[in-house]
Amino acid sequence: MLIRFGCSNFRSISEYQEVLFTATTLKDQQSELIEAEGFNLPLLSSLAIYGANASGKTNILLALQKLIHLVLTSHTRGNTTGVNRTTFKLDDSYLEKESEFDIDFIFKGKHYHYGFKINDEIIIEEWLFSYTYSNRKSRKILFHRDSKESKAFYYGKGLKGRNKIIQDIVRPNSLFLSAAAQNNHEILKGIYDFLKDHFRFRFSQDTHEVQIAETLQDSKNIGNIIGFLENLDTGIKKIEIKNQPLSEKRRKVMKGITRIINENLEDSQADLFSTPDEMKELHLYHDSSDGKLVKFSLDEESLGTRSAIALLIPIFHVLSNGGTLIVDELESSLHALLTLQMIKLFSQRETNPNGAQLLFSTHETNVLCSDILRRDQIWLTEKCLAGNSILTPLTDFKLRKEFNIQSGYLEGRFGGIPFFGDINKLFNKGVE
């Protein structure tokens, strides 16, 4: 379960910014809070990030994805030299400054804090701590790595395993957690697997039929998805996935694509890709006027319906298994009421018994005037004059409980909205 995460010197984020899923002492009752084992503070089930275009909403979400990606790949797929990072580009001094990423989470009833600092060349610092409940004084160091020290690695008594053996094979540009997991460290492998499996990201509105069909086929939640779509009055009564042989024309196209890919791979990876004999097709059935089921292809459905199906797959996955779903622009191609219903799935214990969490960016202001989100579930991004992003919780603003947040946001009282110049000037150039 996610408690918080933060970063600095990443894309539009210059100085350290963080996102907190810990609930405040507000008396707002809209969304039920999560009581997590091993953590004595209530957690939020969902969190919305608002802001103007290019204010940094997406970059906040990408920061969490970058943290997870480096953990999963820095040892196995990392370069032999250097660290792949994207710094804040609007100030040359940040090219030389370190970037920091860190995260607090609950795993098997225990609170952990993991993080690292990097530059373009090496891992400067890396650490993993554990806590008893939320008491910071109870911190136990599992490991701490500092490239500036003569003895770079320190291990706490609680970290049993082949620490020093793994230490000897860790490259300067590789995370110790990543290397330890690849070498089946008895404790760190569990932390690695949690970070790998707990988070699901959605940054694009991908409604490709084959991908949706393959994901749906592996899902145990088709019934829940159909039930949700029925309640939306989409008319969909049944979903069917079938393997269909490739047409001759499609086979030729696929063979050509496969040949080009294989020709550009290294020798050791030659012929890694092959042309499939079949492709998955998704069939959606609607009720006709005489009560019969009529088959439709996915392409015959509206973009909104296709987007809803694609998004409901990961939503019901985390609701069923626990986990955190991160979605950029949740409302994309969705009706405002549909967006609200998706958020509501996370806000009620009946539909979210496993403490799943939703972190999303959005422009949908109807959420602000709904009775779904508490004030501490609303955060705002603002682009400063220097081009860097600042993230602020709505609770930083002193508001009466009955204050109309939607109107206040659109009026610019909290920032996070675009500033428009005089558009008429674009059409009056050269006019006396």
Side-chain angles (χ1 to χ4, degrees), residues 202 205-215 250 279-280 282 298-299 306 310:
R202 179 178 167 83
Q205 191 186 142
D206 191 349
T207 59
H208 191 274
E209 179 179 7
V210 174
Q211 183 173 355
I212 291 177
E214 288 178 348
T215 312
R250 200 169 202 181
M279 296 288 280
K280 288 182 172 58
L282 189 64
L298 187 64
D299 288 340
R306 300 201 304 269

Side-chain angles (χ1 to χ4, degrees), residues 237-253:
K237 302 295 182 181
K238 178 183 175 183
I239 297 177
E240 184 179 64
I241 303 160
K242 285 191 173 182
N243 291 327
Q244 297 290 351
L246 284 179
S247 66
E248 190 59 34
K249 181 179 180 181
R250 200 169 202 181
R251 185 184 297 278
K252 287 181 179 178
V253 172

